[in-house]
Amino acid sequence: MIGKKKIWVQALIVVLLIIGAVWAGFPVVWMILNSFKPNAEIFAWPPVWISESFSFHAYKEIFTNPEQVRFFMNSYLITGVVVILTLLIGILASYAFSRFDFAGKNVINTIIVSVQAVPPITLLIPYLSLVVTIKLYNTYWALILTYMVFTLPYAVLMTTGYFNTLPRELDEAVMIDGGSRLRALWNVLVPTSIPGLVSVGMYTFMQAYNEYLFALALTKTNDMRTVPVGINLLMGQHAYEWNQMMAMSVLGSLPILLLFLFFQKYFIAGMTAGSVKN
Amino acid sequence: MAKINTSVRPVKMKRNTCRRLITPYIYLLPTIVLMLVLLIIPIIMVIRYSFYDNVIINKNPVFVGLENYTKVLTDTAFHVAVKNTLFFVFVSIIAHFLIGMVFAMLLNTRYLGNAVKGIFRVVYALPWMFTASVIAISWRVMLNPNGVLNYLLMNSHLIGEKLEWLSSRDFALITVTVINIWSGYPFYMISILAGLQGISTDLYEASALDGANAVQTFFRITIPQLKPILISLLMLDFVWTLQQFALIWMTTGGGPINATETISTYIYKQGFSKYQYSMASTGATILLVVCTVIGIFYVRQQKARD
């Protein structure tokens, strides 16, 4: 009786696993297959699964089009600067939160936690007017600075949590030897927290790389567009180049896919820190 | 070290305490400046805008009191947006939770080997790794009337004719919600999985000794143990889904007509298509108030857990 029940449970699990895999994976597989087809076959009826004229044509088109290569350069540049600045400023702030008691600590902490609830679209209209006023409209800095409002709070919360797990004796030892606070932070706390900082960096990368709303509204010319906005620009300029859009989607998703595959543990730790605590 | 200083030289002590008082603020300075200039001031600006007429376009806007609020709150387009948003948010959240829970339990079952679990964990987490525009485009290709989904459904005789998933007023909102469900459940799955792995096996053993069946164990041990994670997830997701813009904007743009108009597409259109920045600011302020209320609960809950 028990053995029979077990078989039923196992069968149910296998069925659910397969349904789940189709649901999760099919849109991705279809996107990848489409990126290798000629444009005319994308909506063929019946659908073409693997094209007879399978080619990297769409990818080549993207790599040889300077305008589209620029989308990638913009995305990497903006995301790179956001990650570096977020980590730097975040580490400094986390050090203050972790090692000092000071007036206003609670207020600043509450503001930082509550950023998660502020809708980006609420800030968009004042940002537009601020960015135009200080002449940053349609520049990298407009995006870098506004992205940091959303990446920094998370970095501070996570890094503070990490620093709190390290004993104070660790940095005090450096200071007794005559080292400055900055040296204690830089030479002892930061190297010890590398795993946490990697998670923070990846989460920041993902947030900045995927951002769409600000990139759409705070830049104007094509040479300032990022990948998420650029993919959509392929639509409706002349004709719909679906296969190129698919190829660009694949290329645009690669960095995060690779980060996930190779650093799964850090990646997951970064993404779930807001909801899961140990 | 501070102690030695205090006993020997009172003057230096005074300077030291002073420095100690200032030091944390120096470390916090960049954060404080950024949050002040790009968070606090903009929030004050947007609230102020909502009480003025024709901001940004007009150099000297006129104070109009609550007029913008009356306009927005009596606008039938806004009512439709609120209704659509509520449907979108509640259906998304419930489905996210159910799918996330089932997948997490599947990946945590003792019937599967670690290698199999590892592969399926990556497959199930896939939707998480794509940005909204990639998700929007891939689904648009699949859902095209001549697309693969219609073909598969017609071939298995589930539908009789090609359906316009995204451009029919009857289906568009449901379709957009399904796309959002696809893109959002992995966050639940991964978080719940982390939570499940944190539950002590002693609890399950004790429950087995008491003769509890799987269902009883699930409701008496698993759910109560996961409760803090689930509450955080639901609140975060509520706020995120409420302000979802990119996915809707790139699949339907709020259309056809206003079938998928949500509060965020309404705000965006008021501002960036109609240049009614006052109206947009008013909508944005209303959205902010709703999110703040949920945010307060979230912060309280986080503090209670610390």
Side-chain angles (χ1 to χ4, degrees):
Chain A
M1 185 65 200
I2 290 169
K4 210 174 178 185
K5 198 178 156 195
K6 228 177 178 176
I7 290 172
W8 275 109
V9 173
Q10 277 178 322
L12 181 72
I13 288 175
V14 171
V15 170
L16 281 175
L17 273 178
I18 294 168
I19 294 175
V22 171
W23 152 256
F26 186 78
V28 181
V29 171
W30 193 241
M31 168 179 85
I32 296 170
L33 289 177
N34 275 330
S35 69
F36 296 112
K37 291 180 194 169
N39 204 28
E41 282 180 19
I42 302 265
F43 296 119
W45 191 278
V48 177
W49 295 93
I50 293 175
S51 173
E52 280 176 19
S53 38
F54 176 98
S55 78
F56 288 91
H57 177 77
Y59 290 90
K60 221 188 281 166
E61 286 288 309
I62 291 192
F63 279 123
T64 51
N65 184 334
E67 193 175 58
Q68 281 155 35
V69 172
R70 178 83 189 230
F71 297 152
F72 285 93
M73 309 287 282
N74 289 345
S75 267
Y76 287 122
L77 187 81
I78 291 169
T79 307
V81 176
V82 169
V83 170
I84 292 167
L85 285 180
T86 300
L87 282 174
L88 273 180
I89 298 179
I91 287 169
L92 292 177
S94 305
Y95 181 68
F97 273 122
S98 171
R99 294 302 194 247
F100 291 90
D101 280 310
F102 50 90
K105 187 173 176 176
N106 247 328
V107 177
I108 303 175
N109 190 46
T110 305
I111 291 175
I112 287 177
V113 175
S114 56
V115 172
Q116 288 185 80
V118 177
I121 201 158
T122 298
L123 298 177
L124 183 64
I125 297 150
Y127 278 173
L128 181 73
S129 114
L130 277 175
V131 153
V132 170
T133 315
I134 52 177
K135 302 217 158 42
L136 288 181
Y137 182 66
N138 202 31
T139 64
Y140 292 137
W141 283 108
L143 298 187
I144 292 169
L145 291 172
T146 52
Y147 288 3
M148 285 183 61
V149 174
F150 292 93
T151 57
L152 188 60
Y154 196 86
V156 172
L157 292 179
M158 243 193 103
T159 315
T160 306
Y162 230 87
F163 284 173
N164 281 342
T165 64
L166 306 174
R168 276 169 191 245
E169 288 79 29
L170 217 62
D171 33 318
E172 273 161 13
V174 177
M175 280 150 59
I176 287 169
D177 289 345
S180 67
R181 284 191 173 278
L182 261 180
R183 244 190 70 197
L185 171 62
W186 197 247
N187 290 353
V188 178
L189 286 185
V190 170
T192 329
S193 321
I194 290 288
L197 295 175
V198 172
S199 296
V200 175
M202 283 193 202
Y203 187 71
T204 307
F205 182 95
M206 187 151 172
Q207 271 181 302
Y209 189 80
N210 286 345
E211 206 283 335
Y212 175 78
L213 179 64
F214 293 165
L216 176 72
L218 301 180
T219 64
K220 192 173 69 184
T221 54
N222 280 359
D223 61 327
M224 281 293 139
R225 297 300 199 179
T226 57
V227 173
V229 180
I231 293 174
N232 257 3
L233 286 178
L234 285 171
M235 199 157 19
Q237 271 182 333
H238 313 287
Y240 281 24
E241 300 286 351
W242 290 103
N243 58 346
Q244 284 186 42
M245 281 188 255
M246 295 291 110
M248 195 156 165
S249 298
V250 173
L251 290 173
S253 310
L254 272 182
I256 290 176
L257 273 171
L258 293 177
L259 279 182
F260 183 83
L261 281 178
F262 290 113
F263 301 97
Q264 223 186 107
K265 207 179 76 191
Y266 297 123
F267 201 87
I268 288 175
M271 292 297 288
T272 54
S275 57
V276 185
K277 281 185 181 170
N278 292 316
Chain B
M1 184 184 173
K3 255 185 196 157
I4 301 166
N5 278 340
T6 49
S7 56
V8 183
R9 288 163 82 178
V11 182
K12 196 174 178 191
M13 178 201 85
K14 205 176 171 190
R15 209 195 300 148
N16 263 1
T17 2
C18 192
R19 260 184 73 181
R20 217 187 135 71
L21 274 178
I22 297 174
T23 317
Y25 298 106
I26 297 175
Y27 282 95
L28 275 171
L29 192 66
T31 307
I32 294 175
V33 171
L34 192 86
M35 288 297 140
L36 191 70
V37 176
L38 289 172
L39 185 75
I40 310 285
I41 292 178
I43 287 179
I44 296 170
M45 281 168 78
V46 77
I47 296 173
R48 204 178 139 260
Y49 284 166
S50 71
F51 294 108
Y52 280 81
D53 191 20
N54 255 333
V55 285
I56 297 187
I57 301 202
N58 191 338
K59 287 277 170 246
N60 300 304
V62 189
F63 182 81
V64 292
L66 289 170
E67 196 183 292
N68 292 324
Y69 285 89
T70 332
K71 262 200 251 170
V72 169
L73 291 173
T74 55
D75 185 356
T76 44
F78 187 72
H79 296 165
V80 173
V82 171
K83 220 175 71 197
N84 290 342
T85 308
L86 288 176
F87 176 88
F88 181 75
V89 169
F90 281 106
V91 175
S92 293
I93 290 184
I94 293 168
H96 281 161
F97 168 70
L98 291 176
I99 298 175
M101 192 80 201
V102 169
F103 282 6
M105 303 274 291
L106 272 178
L107 293 176
N108 199 44
T109 167
R110 58 202 152 90
Y111 293 106
L112 298 173
N114 280 338
V116 180
K117 281 184 197 170
I119 293 168
F120 278 97
R121 191 174 57 218
V122 173
V123 174
Y124 290 171
L126 271 178
W128 204 17
M129 282 162 249
F130 297 93
T131 181
S133 36
V134 171
I135 296 172
I137 297 234
S138 316
W139 279 81
R140 282 179 64 171
V141 170
M142 281 201 312
L143 297 172
N144 187 289
N146 293 314
V148 66
L149 187 74
N150 271 345
Y151 178 82
L152 293 175
L153 289 177
M154 276 174 80
N155 241 18
S156 44
H157 301 286
L158 287 170
I159 54 170
E161 52 176 357
K162 292 179 183 177
L163 291 181
E164 304 258 0
W165 296 103
L166 284 166
S167 45
S168 123
R169 296 198 65 183
D170 298 328
F171 294 122
L173 184 60
I174 298 169
T175 309
V176 171
T177 310
V178 170
I179 302 176
N180 188 58
I181 291 169
W182 184 81
S183 77
Y185 78 83
F187 180 64
Y188 281 68
M189 181 189 84
I190 301 275
S191 302
I192 294 174
L193 189 59
L196 285 175
Q197 285 162 352
I199 301 177
S200 154
T201 44
D202 294 356
L203 286 172
Y204 287 115
E205 277 163 18
S207 150
L209 279 180
D210 290 346
N213 63 30
V215 178
Q216 285 170 327
T217 309
F218 178 75
F219 283 107
R220 295 205 187 140
I221 299 198
T222 313
I223 292 284
Q225 287 288 313
L226 289 177
K227 204 174 142 204
I229 294 176
L230 294 178
I231 293 175
S232 294
L233 279 173
L234 292 171
M235 280 197 280
L236 280 176
D237 194 31
F238 190 93
V239 174
W240 288 340
T241 315
L242 194 62
Q243 63 203 37
Q244 174 62 266
F245 169 80
L247 208 55
I248 300 166
W249 190 247
M250 285 179 284
T251 46
T252 61
I257 309 178
N258 54 14
T260 57
E261 192 87 283
T262 58
I263 299 176
S264 49
T265 60
Y266 175 86
I267 296 170
Y268 189 84
K269 279 185 189 166
Q270 288 290 342
F272 293 85
S273 321
K274 298 183 182 164
Y275 304 105
Q276 299 280 333
Y277 290 108
S278 294
M279 291 283 277
S281 301
T282 310
T285 307
I286 295 172
L287 185 62
L288 177 69
V289 170
V290 176
C291 289
T292 308
V293 172
I294 306 160
I296 290 169
F297 283 109
Y298 176 73
V299 171
R300 274 203 190 155
Q301 202 242 349
Q302 289 286 310
K303 288 224 166 118
R305 284 173 69 186
D306 279 338

